[in-house]
Amino acid sequence: MEPWATADQVWSAGLIFARIGAIILMLPGIGESYVPPRVRLSLALVVTLALWPMLAGVLPALPATLGGVVGWVLREVIVGLAIGAVLRSFMTALGTAGEIVSLQTTLGFSQTANPLQAQPGTTLSAFLALLGVTLVFATNTHHLFVAGMVGSYELIAPARPLVTGDFVTLAVRTLGDSFMLGVQLAGPVLVFALVFNIATGLIGRVMPQFQVFFAAAPLSVILGLSVFALSLGVAGTVFIDRYRRLAEVFASGSGGVLG
């Protein structure tokens, strides 16, 4: 390969591909199971070739031993998987919101295939997951993913030791924030369910002969879905704003826990 590329150039490109490929494997939308592996690998290769002139200077030299080569490749793959896992974990906020809304509207037994989780889930949860991926691409948030790949070489430079403790802190905080955001997105439906259940309980106490459950079940579904539909626009805006802030932590190359 010497007429086309030197060993050092092939090594630097391969090391970039190890991290970029691992990140793309975990990204929401691009890294889903329904995307063919060849498409993901081809995209990782194209991004690697585009970023190689920018990142070749910050990479270590080609090790003299096979153990050193394997160690560096494994390190970059682990870093890429960790970054992608953090970006993907925040998407669970929509799944949490969907599960809460389904429980409050008595639609928890309505199961459908969730393409983002490759397993069955509630219909509303699958809908919100697909909505989240659509918002990511509709608002050009996926551009921040590419910027984050470049910024990750400043946050987690190959020449520096791994900041394992700080990264674990960021991951735990991200999971906590995603769960709290999921509850907040489902807040309007939670308030409606609380008021509605109290009202039906009072009616049942006042008129014991009245079939409260027979009348309340369809109303709970119709009114609950109406409240959910009215709050959907605000929920989508809040989610994508919070998700962009998380992506900007890596895109900026500084700031956040790892800065």
Side-chain angles (χ1 to χ4, degrees):
M1 295 183 61
E2 289 295 333
W4 295 279
T6 64
D8 289 334
Q9 290 174 333
V10 174
W11 158 251
S12 59
L15 205 60
I16 295 173
F17 180 79
R19 180 182 293 197
I20 300 301
I23 293 176
I24 291 178
L25 182 67
M26 299 293 293
L27 285 180
I30 302 173
E32 307 301 338
S33 58
Y34 54 78
V35 179
R38 292 183 180 179
V39 174
R40 285 179 279 175
L41 290 175
S42 300
L43 179 60
L45 181 60
V46 170
V47 175
T48 298
L49 294 177
L51 299 182
W52 176 76
M54 302 168 52
L55 303 176
V58 301
L59 298 175
L62 176 64
T65 62
L66 179 60
V69 172
V70 174
W72 276 110
V73 171
L74 289 178
R75 181 186 190 276
E76 292 302 292
V77 169
I78 292 173
V79 169
L81 290 176
I83 295 173
V86 169
L87 292 174
R88 173 176 283 273
S89 64
F90 200 78
M91 298 292 291
T92 59
L94 294 175
T96 302
E99 294 291 340
I100 293 174
V101 173
S102 298
L103 290 174
Q104 299 302 320
T105 56
T106 69
L107 295 176
F109 292 103
S110 177
Q111 300 285 311
T112 187
N114 191 335
L116 303 187
Q117 298 179 355
Q119 63 183 1
T122 61
T123 303
L124 292 179
S125 179
F127 167 74
L128 286 178
L130 292 174
L131 175 65
V133 174
T134 303
L135 288 174
V136 166
F137 289 97
T139 59
N140 291 328
T141 304
H142 60 288
H143 294 172
L144 292 176
F145 294 159
V146 180
M149 295 175 190
V150 179
S152 68
Y153 283 89
E154 297 183 23
L155 289 174
I156 313 173
R160 300 176 188 171
L162 284 175
V163 283
T164 308
D166 290 344
F167 212 99
V168 170
T169 302
L170 177 63
V172 172
R173 179 186 298 177
T174 301
L175 283 174
D177 290 345
S178 66
F179 180 79
M180 183 169 57
L181 179 61
V183 176
Q184 291 172 347
L185 295 179
V189 180
L190 282 173
V191 174
F192 156 76
L194 178 62
V195 175
F196 184 81
N197 290 330
I198 292 176
T200 53
L202 291 175
I203 293 174
R205 295 288 292 178
V206 173
M207 295 183 294
Q209 293 80 13
F210 182 68
Q211 299 294 329
V212 177
F213 181 78
F214 180 78
L219 286 176
S220 175
V221 175
I222 295 174
L223 297 178
L225 290 180
S226 299
V227 173
F228 171 71
L230 291 174
S231 62
L232 190 59
V234 177
T237 302
V238 171
F239 167 77
I240 199 62
D241 180 65
R242 295 283 298 276
Y243 193 71
R244 287 181 66 90
R245 273 191 254 166
L246 174 64
E248 286 171 356
V249 171
F250 296 98
S252 63
S254 61
V257 177
L258 297 177

